[in-house]
Amino acid sequence: MIAVLGENVVDLLMQPDGNFCPHLGGSPFNVAIGIAKQEVPVTYLSPISQDRFGDNFLSYMQTQGVEYGAPHRSALPSSAAIVTLDAQRQPHYSIYRHHVADRDISTGLLVSCLPEKTRILHTGSLALEPEDLTKVKTLLAFAKSRGVRISIDINIRMDFVTDKAAYSAGIEELMPLCDYVKASDEDLSKLYPDMPLSDALAKFKLLIPDALFAYTEGDKGALLCTQAIEITMPVIRPDVFGDTVGAGDTFYSMLLAYLWSENLDTIAPSLLSDKQLRPALKHAIVAASINVSRHGCMPPSKVEVQQKLAC
């Protein structure tokens, strides 16, 4: 099983006519949905609200095959984000995160609800808020002590945390715990704004010497690397373009699902070979290409990915 911790957010996505349409999202939530659509068992540990949006989150999880692993539903409201698209159809966010449901859980409850059969624990994005860092670090350390692989998508959201310096420091503090890490070029530009991107990438790699690192560069492609190997691939451009909302989440959910399905999570990341990792990267890029042909985060099913690969 793969366990996921992190925000569930109602994305109010701007439409061409200027109105806003709600979509269920949040980076870790999207990853959980993407994993489930690859027919991999996954549990979502963060609470959802008792409000109408919470009902929708729960229904969507159940429909897609995600197990709700939190011990309760919160009386606090669902988090919300206003998502606007620029001329290149790139999303920009305004996020409301104070006193919201997915943060309404104690350290003890988090540790107690981690399933015994968990093989990979994934988190990241706004779950790394400095005010929540202690409980996240405690959960990751507990999981690590049980032999669980730790995954983080840093997915930097610098404008929506309480303390930017503490947020950056917290991310660096968690990196040595990780077996799998994802970051984008935009993430590293935000994490190290005073450095050239090449220097930021080199510095970040030093934090994760034993991890498998997935690095995405928008329409330039992606790479997968360990200390021993580096694999790069270009993006696959869809025939019909929707938007890039959730493309990174879809990419990474497919990667984690592939690692689990092929039992590659039983191998130390530093020992994985080019032969094992190249198809993993190809699956992730194919899944992302399907997602960007749609509007909002809509990860493909296992059958859709297989059909695309066959083409």
Side-chain angles (χ1 to χ4, degrees):
M1 171 172 282
I2 299 177
V4 177
L5 173 73
E7 70 268 17
N8 53 80
V9 181
V10 181
D11 289 335
L12 300 171
L13 185 61
M14 184 180 69
Q15 305 300 298
D17 62 3
N19 290 320
F20 289 83
C21 180
H23 293 266
L24 304 180
S27 177
F29 181 83
N30 290 339
V31 169
I33 295 295
I35 291 169
K37 294 189 79 168
Q38 297 308 308
E39 301 176 16
V40 170
V42 57
T43 184
Y44 180 69
L45 302 179
S46 294
I48 59 172
S49 179
Q50 298 173 17
D51 63 21
R52 179 63 179 272
F53 285 128
D55 292 341
N56 291 343
F57 276 113
L58 185 60
S59 176
Y60 186 37
M61 284 193 292
Q62 291 173 338
T63 299
Q64 301 302 324
V66 178
E67 177 183 307
Y68 181 51
H72 65 278
R73 287 183 64 180
S74 174
L76 297 177
S78 299
S79 182
I82 306 298
V83 187
T84 56
L85 302 175
D86 61 23
Q88 287 72 47
R89 305 293 290 172
Q90 296 293 319
H92 300 270
Y93 299 86
S94 297
I95 303 177
Y96 301 87
R97 291 289 299 154
H98 295 290
H99 306 293
V100 293
D102 62 74
R103 300 176 65 186
D104 185 23
I105 190 168
S106 69
T107 304
L109 283 177
L110 267 182
V111 168
S112 68
C113 67
L114 183 70
E116 287 284 341
K117 54 189 174 182
T118 302
R119 285 168 38 186
I120 299 174
L121 171 60
H122 171 72
T123 189
S125 193
L126 291 168
L128 308 183
E129 152 68 44
E131 291 180 350
D132 298 330
L133 189 64
T134 297
K135 64 184 177 184
V136 172
K137 186 177 181 181
T138 299
L139 176 64
L140 298 188
F142 170 74
K144 192 85 171 178
S145 72
R146 283 178 32 184
V148 175
R149 298 291 184 194
I150 304 301
S151 163
I152 290 181
D153 178 357
I154 63 172
N155 199 28
I156 299 294
R157 293 289 183 260
M158 197 66 74
D159 293 335
F160 309 113
V161 296
T162 54
D163 185 325
K164 294 181 180 180
Y167 177 54
S168 297
I171 290 171
E172 291 191 337
E173 182 183 353
L174 291 177
M175 288 301 100
L177 290 171
C178 292
D179 298 285
Y180 312 125
V181 178
K182 178 188 171 290
S184 68
D185 50 354
E186 290 186 2
D187 291 329
L188 296 189
S189 294
K190 293 173 184 176
L191 188 61
Y192 303 118
D194 299 325
M195 288 186 182
L197 183 57
S198 59
D199 292 345
L201 179 58
K203 178 176 180 177
F204 190 75
K205 283 183 175 181
L206 292 175
L207 299 174
I208 51 172
D210 299 319
L212 174 62
F213 179 39
Y215 180 64
T216 59
E217 299 182 276
D219 60 5
K220 297 178 183 177
L223 69 84
L224 207 54
C225 66
T226 65
Q227 275 196 325
I229 59 174
E230 181 171 304
I231 306 164
T232 61
M233 284 189 187
V235 298
I236 299 172
R237 300 185 184 279
D239 295 331
V240 178
F241 182 72
D243 57 53
T244 63
V245 176
D249 299 332
T250 299
F251 171 94
Y252 199 48
S253 66
M254 182 70 247
L255 179 62
L256 293 177
Y258 185 92
L259 293 172
W260 188 95
S261 297
E262 298 298 316
N263 291 313
L264 298 181
D265 61 307
T266 64
I267 303 171
S270 60
L271 299 179
L272 292 167
S273 68
D274 182 290
K275 184 178 180 180
Q276 291 166 320
L277 291 177
R278 191 168 293 275
L281 180 57
K282 187 173 183 179
H283 275 71
I285 286 176
V286 164
S289 75
I290 297 172
N291 185 83
V292 300
S293 71
R294 301 165 174 174
H295 293 287
C297 185
M298 296 289 289
S301 68
K302 183 176 182 178
V303 170
E304 288 175 315
V305 172
Q306 290 173 338
Q307 289 174 341
K308 185 77 171 180
L309 284 165
C311 295

